[in-house]
Amino acid sequence: MILTPPAVAPVADKHPATDTHHSHTRTDDYSWLRDENWREVMRDPAALSPAIKAYLDAENAYTDATMAPVAALRETLFAEMKGRIKEEDASVPSPDGPYAYYLRYALGSQYAIFCRRKDDTEEILIDGNREAEGEAYFRIGDVDHAPNHDLVAWSADRKGSEYFTIRIRDTATGKDLDDEVPDTSGGIAWDATGRSFLYVQLDEEHRPLKVFRHVVGTPASADTLVYEEKDHGFYVGVGRTQSGEYLLIDTHDHQTSEVRIVPTDAPETPPRLVAPREHGVEYDIEHDADRARFLILTNLGIAEDFKIMETPVAAPERANWRDVVEHRPGTLVLSHVAYRHHHARLERRDGLSRIVIRDLADDAEHEIAFAEEAYDLNLSSGYEYDTTRTRFSYNSMTTPSEVYDYDMGTRARTLMKRQEVPSGHNPDDYVTRRIYATASDGEQVPISLLYRKETKLDGSAPCLLYGYGSYGISIPASFSVTGLSLVDRGFVYAIAHIRGGKEKGYRWYSDGKLLKKRNTFTDYIAAGEHLAKEGFTSRGLIVGHGGSAGGMLMGAAANMAPDLFMGLIAEVPFVDVMATMLDASLPLTPPEWHEWGNPIESKEAYEYMASYSPYDNVRPQTYPHIFALGGLTDPRVTYWEPAKWAAKLRALRTDRNLTLLRINMEAGHGGAPGRFERLKEVALVYAFALAVTEKV
């Protein structure tokens, strides 16, 4: 193999630490890699313990040396991917009164420039490139203009730790006011006057529990506490209805939610609860102003795949909820938006999405759908309420993105933009398919495929098999400017739509969480086995790829079916499941108990989690080549998870395959934020995939 590591790999010291729960004792040799000062490290990477930094630096140097033989390949891959991106590009302007708002990229720029137009005259609001000058890390969280268009509130994270600071820019002068609101989640919701906004403050454990109101021109220390969530297992967010008449305070975990409303024209009004939380009941609301009602997307009752209900604005309590669109098992309602004359909803059935438009005058409905075997469809609400126009985007694994404006009254669609691929792209050169693997319990697992027409399906092609399978997140069969670099070199690119997502409805999610979590892993393995059986690839020619919870999937697959894979790429991998879920002080642990189980309180949850936790199940056996990547300031999957996993793998594996670890010392969960810097990270892991399958 072309990748040749240095003679001596880093060896992490062992400092055994034990903990006991439910009469089970765990020993962790590498817990010392978690800096006791981790909270400060998230805010200031320079605070990292010298001993830990030295070890991470050694791992990074080892990875760099190992990957040195494919340096030219990485540059080639980067150039290819960059060549498929139109460098001077812009989104379709979105109208809002006298202005149309959009973002664009300049030639060679890393970050977006947020703009607006009036009478064909462009006005730059926020130039991300200028704001990022001199920063090792920079990411904009939100850019939201006030309803009167005089001010723009914007948030930015400069450490990768997802602590966003909100500033306010005067659109007349182009300068920021003195206002500075630190330690927020990044979201902004303006009142109707444009003199104040709601935001969510993060506490020292990075938990979004408090909503404050900031008045323009006053210090953040004077901000008013509007709502405080007492349950640390819940998240809080803010927003506005499409009508612009209500501010929303949304409180939720992964299976329960409640909403509070504040009139935007009376922002000092105490929040009003729509309906109190009820375990297992989720809902969100939209406002139908002309009929003085809220339209509610909810799973109330037995509506596993959700339905649409209505309730009077004057009396929104649950006793007054009535069905508008009844529950249809297998048809999952994903989102909705209410305009003055129409109600639009995005739903999915059999893994494929469609948009349904409802005329609020007579309740007549019609659909927008497409005929490809696998595609991605998204609904964009825009800024306006009193309009007949909505917007949607469509793409598939072979078809670049297309953006349409759609007149909900006349049903006319207007193509507003088609994604350009400057280096050229002929969809007819490729094949996209949807096939199904049979899981261990008989369930049919969808797999989306992309490959070149001339690729031989005789088992000789390597395959990159992507998977996620958590939180109900569905992975779309979308166009990828990066994946083509593998496909053009003979790879079959596959996405396994495994349980834990919602590709086949809510049940697909519930059958892949808590005490059914192992279905996620066995579905993924079944997908790989099916691809090999049908000749799309062969056992031992598959490279698995997943990030975050998908990185946990990679770790579980490594333990359960190591001989199925040639390599595994695990980005910001959630692999130290037991230690994380047993530590209630970590940022996301309490909210995550509804996804994975609470091993502190439940012996059953502890023992089940212990049966699959990737780090805890590393043992002496052969493993595929493994590449783990993390971010030092990541608040979601802390850096020590991939670091500990790599150390244990290297100590216990019985083969000579690669164990590579790369920790980005200047980034968090999302990796490098700039559009080209992110491509360099993709080029790195794709070079790894090509090298281990000898396709360089």
Side-chain angles (χ1 to χ4, degrees):
M1 185 181 63
I2 190 171
L3 298 182
T4 305
V8 179
V11 176
D13 293 337
K14 293 184 178 181
H15 301 291
T18 61
D19 64 74
T20 301
H21 293 81
H22 310 294
S23 301
H24 295 284
T25 298
R26 297 171 60 252
T27 300
D28 187 348
D29 291 332
Y30 305 107
S31 62
W32 67 272
L33 286 170
R34 168 182 162 166
D35 197 327
E36 294 180 357
N37 201 29
W38 61 267
R39 293 177 182 84
E40 186 177 347
V41 172
M42 284 189 187
R43 296 177 180 273
D44 180 10
L48 183 66
S49 156
I52 297 173
K53 183 179 186 302
Y55 175 72
L56 297 181
D57 285 344
E59 285 283 7
N60 284 345
Y62 179 79
T63 294
D64 289 344
T66 302
M67 296 295 292
V70 293
L73 173 62
R74 289 168 57 186
E75 290 298 324
T76 299
L77 291 170
F78 171 71
E80 287 178 5
M81 296 171 188
K82 186 178 179 182
R84 298 189 190 105
I85 295 176
K86 185 180 179 183
E87 291 198 40
E88 288 186 281
D89 201 6
S91 65
V92 179
S94 186
D96 187 14
Y99 294 96
Y101 290 82
Y102 60 100
L103 61 84
R104 64 175 176 85
Y105 288 92
L107 184 67
S109 68
Q110 291 275 10
Y111 301 97
I113 303 169
F114 295 82
C115 310
R116 69 184 183 186
R117 283 188 178 275
K118 182 180 181 182
D119 300 326
D120 294 327
T121 300
E122 179 179 87
E123 181 180 351
I124 293 177
L125 302 173
I126 308 292
D127 184 343
N129 303 285
R130 179 173 296 178
E131 301 299 335
E133 289 179 1
E135 302 284 358
Y137 181 96
F138 180 80
R139 181 161 73 93
I140 287 180
D142 193 10
V143 176
D144 193 20
H145 60 273
N148 59 11
H149 306 281
D150 291 343
L151 300 173
V152 173
W154 64 286
S155 60
D157 170 19
R158 299 175 188 269
K159 298 294 183 183
S161 57
E162 299 181 41
Y163 281 102
F164 291 86
T165 296
I166 299 173
R167 302 298 304 268
I168 304 171
R169 183 153 299 180
D170 186 324
T171 59
T173 66
K175 296 181 179 180
D176 286 335
L177 307 182
D178 292 335
D179 305 52
E180 186 171 302
V181 185
D183 299 340
T184 81
S185 63
I188 300 155
W190 283 99
D191 68 22
T193 67
R195 303 318 305 164
S196 72
F197 58 79
L198 298 184
Y199 67 91
V200 178
Q201 184 186 74
L202 302 179
D203 65 13
E204 286 299 311
E205 273 68 47
H206 209 278
R207 292 173 182 153
L209 299 175
K210 294 181 179 180
V211 175
F212 283 87
R213 176 173 173 256
H214 177 77
V215 176
V216 176
T218 65
S221 59
D223 290 353
T224 303
L225 179 64
V226 176
Y227 173 74
E228 180 177 3
E229 174 56 46
K230 301 297 185 182
D231 188 334
H232 288 192
F234 276 68
Y235 304 87
V236 181
V238 295
R240 282 163 52 111
T241 58
Q242 187 73 13
S243 69
E245 294 189 20
Y246 290 96
L247 295 167
L248 303 175
I249 299 174
D250 171 62
T251 307
H252 64 279
D253 61 14
H254 293 298
Q255 58 186 5
T256 303
S257 63
E258 66 181 7
V259 177
R260 289 169 173 80
I261 55 175
V262 176
T264 56
D265 60 358
E268 296 182 359
T269 305
R272 178 185 180 190
L273 180 63
V274 173
R277 68 188 66 173
E278 179 181 326
H279 181 71
V281 175
E282 299 178 61
Y283 73 94
D284 68 50
I285 69 170
E286 268 286 21
H287 179 221
D288 180 3
D290 288 1
R291 295 155 193 82
R293 63 176 178 169
F294 291 123
L295 293 169
I296 307 165
L297 173 60
T298 182
N299 64 343
L300 181 66
I302 58 171
E304 181 181 59
D305 288 315
F306 290 74
K307 61 183 177 179
I308 304 294
M309 303 186 78
E310 65 177 356
T311 192
V313 168
E317 53 268 18
R318 192 167 286 129
N320 296 323
W321 292 14
R322 298 290 182 267
D323 283 0
V324 174
V325 178
E326 295 183 351
H327 176 241
R328 295 148 299 155
T331 299
L332 178 65
V333 185
L334 298 165
S335 62
H336 70 137
V337 57
Y339 299 95
R340 184 170 297 282
H341 305 293
H342 298 90
H343 180 248
R345 67 180 188 269
L346 179 67
E347 56 188 38
R348 182 186 298 119
R349 187 172 186 88
D350 295 327
L352 295 178
S353 300
R354 62 189 179 192
I355 295 170
V356 181
I357 306 297
R358 187 181 186 93
D359 190 319
L360 294 177
D362 59 10
D363 292 336
E365 293 188 348
H366 67 274
E367 296 179 3
I368 307 171
F370 294 84
E372 285 193 81
E373 282 189 45
Y375 60 82
D376 182 29
L377 182 64
N378 291 287
L379 179 65
S380 177
S381 61
Y383 295 113
E384 297 184 317
Y385 176 66
D386 190 5
T387 180
T388 62
R389 178 176 51 196
T390 190
R391 181 171 290 167
F392 67 85
S393 62
Y394 168 85
N395 69 97
S396 75
M397 297 178 82
T398 58
T399 306
S401 178
E402 298 173 342
V403 178
Y404 291 88
D405 273 359
Y406 185 78
D407 190 300
M408 295 177 283
T410 66
R411 307 188 186 185
R413 66 178 70 176
T414 303
L415 177 64
M416 303 300 292
K417 180 181 179 181
R418 178 175 285 118
Q419 180 182 353
E420 295 182 38
V421 182
S423 60
H425 173 69
N426 182 5
D428 293 337
D429 291 340
Y430 302 89
V431 176
T432 183
R433 292 185 58 187
R434 174 66 61 86
I435 63 173
Y436 294 84
T438 301
S440 56
D441 60 357
E443 287 282 2
Q444 295 298 295
V445 180
I447 308 171
S448 296
L449 296 177
L450 176 69
Y451 53 89
R452 289 189 68 92
K453 281 186 175 179
E454 66 267 23
T455 299
K456 294 180 179 180
L457 304 181
D458 58 2
S460 62
C463 173
L464 187 130
L465 180 59
Y466 186 86
Y468 188 76
S470 291
Y471 305 113
I473 295 173
S474 300
I475 304 301
S478 56
F479 185 74
S480 168
V481 297
T482 57
L484 292 174
S485 287
L486 291 180
V487 172
D488 286 346
R489 288 172 171 80
F491 264 70
V492 171
Y493 188 96
I495 302 171
H497 303 287
I498 51 185
R499 278 176 280 188
K502 291 179 181 174
E503 283 90 341
K504 295 180 69 174
Y506 196 88
R507 182 184 63 82
W508 204 242
Y509 170 41
S510 58
D511 278 356
K513 62 184 293 194
L514 297 172
L515 298 177
K516 296 181 179 180
K517 188 61 203 172
R518 290 179 70 91
N519 286 336
T520 300
F521 316 135
T522 55
D523 282 2
Y524 183 75
I525 292 167
E529 297 280 7
H530 184 74
L531 289 168
K533 178 183 176 182
E534 295 300 313
F536 292 101
T537 188
S538 292
R539 294 178 58 84
L541 270 182
I542 301 172
V543 177
H545 187 196
S548 194
M552 176 191 64
L553 172 65
M554 297 302 105
N559 291 327
M560 296 170 65
D563 59 337
L564 180 61
F565 302 93
M566 175 64 75
L568 292 168
I569 300 165
E571 300 194 60
V572 290
F574 176 40
V575 285
D576 194 11
V577 181
M578 291 299 296
T580 297
M581 289 297 102
L582 285 166
D583 187 350
S585 73
L586 290 174
L588 297 183
T589 292
E592 299 288 281
W593 285 331
H594 293 296
E595 180 76 16
W596 315 106
N598 184 344
I600 300 173
E601 300 294 333
S602 168
K603 180 180 180 182
E604 184 181 27
Y606 181 100
E607 292 176 345
Y608 186 77
M609 196 176 294
S611 74
Y612 70 76
S613 175
Y615 178 70
D616 294 275
N617 284 280
V618 173
R619 57 188 179 274
Q621 67 171 26
T622 60
Y623 280 95
H625 300 288
I626 290 178
F627 195 177
L629 301 94
L632 182 62
T633 56
D634 187 348
R636 299 173 185 263
V637 178
T638 50
Y639 74 86
W640 58 82
E641 294 209 26
K644 290 168 56 178
W645 184 49
K648 191 172 183 179
L649 278 166
R650 191 175 290 135
L652 293 179
R653 66 186 310 157
T654 59
D655 54 78
R656 298 177 64 84
N657 288 337
L658 298 171
T659 301
L660 300 181
L661 172 69
R662 183 178 185 273
I663 300 295
N664 190 327
M665 305 298 279
E666 297 177 336
H669 196 66
R675 58 174 176 161
F676 299 136
E677 289 303 311
R678 176 55 188 158
L679 289 183
K680 290 180 181 179
E681 293 185 344
V682 177
L684 172 67
V685 298
Y686 280 10
F688 171 84
L690 289 162
V692 299
T693 56
E694 300 184 350
K695 280 288 184 177
V696 294

